[in-house]
Amino acid sequence: MSQTSVAPPVKRALPPLMRLSDAAAERLQHLYKTAHAGQLLRISVTTKGCSGKAYDMQFVETPTEGDEVVSDKGLTLLVDRKATLFLIGTQMDYHQTELEEGFVFLNPNEKGRCGCGESFHV
């Protein structure tokens, strides 16, 4: 009886949990050096709005047991482990216009947003 060897299945690399655009990295680096020195940005997804989900950002002193640590462009941010499935492959960007400025999320998992843009669904 001959034995044939079976090659182990090839594991596909997962996309990064989150990435920072150059603009987001620059703004976050500024915040880490000034008003939020010694803190880390923590991103989570909450239930909110007419579409059901919303991004929530808070500065925290230390990671919790349920945080995933994300490093990109020399910066560290935290993602609530419960939000990881909603955020895989997301890029955080920073937009500044004459009337508003802030972080925005380019999330490939979003299937739609509410009319006011406050919430999204997957």
Side-chain angles (χ1 to χ4, degrees), residues 45-90:
V45 173
T46 62
T47 302
K48 182 177 180 182
C50 39
S51 283
K53 304 281 183 215
Y55 301 104
D56 184 53
M57 297 184 292
Q58 299 175 15
F59 284 96
V60 297
E61 301 293 326
T62 57
T64 66
E65 191 176 305
D67 287 334
E68 297 287 337
V69 177
V70 174
S71 297
D72 190 26
K73 295 185 173 43
L75 297 166
T76 300
L77 58 115
L78 307 172
V79 175
D80 179 353
R81 191 168 289 144
K82 290 180 264 176
T84 57
L85 289 176
F86 300 112
L87 297 176
I88 292 174
T90 296

Side-chain angles (χ1 to χ4, degrees), residues 95-115:
H95 288 179
Q96 186 173 12
T97 67
E98 201 172 300
L99 298 175
E100 64 183 2
E101 65 181 288
F103 290 107
V104 294
F105 295 89
L106 307 171
N107 187 339
N109 305 301
E110 283 186 21
K111 301 298 183 225
R113 289 188 152 258
C114 66

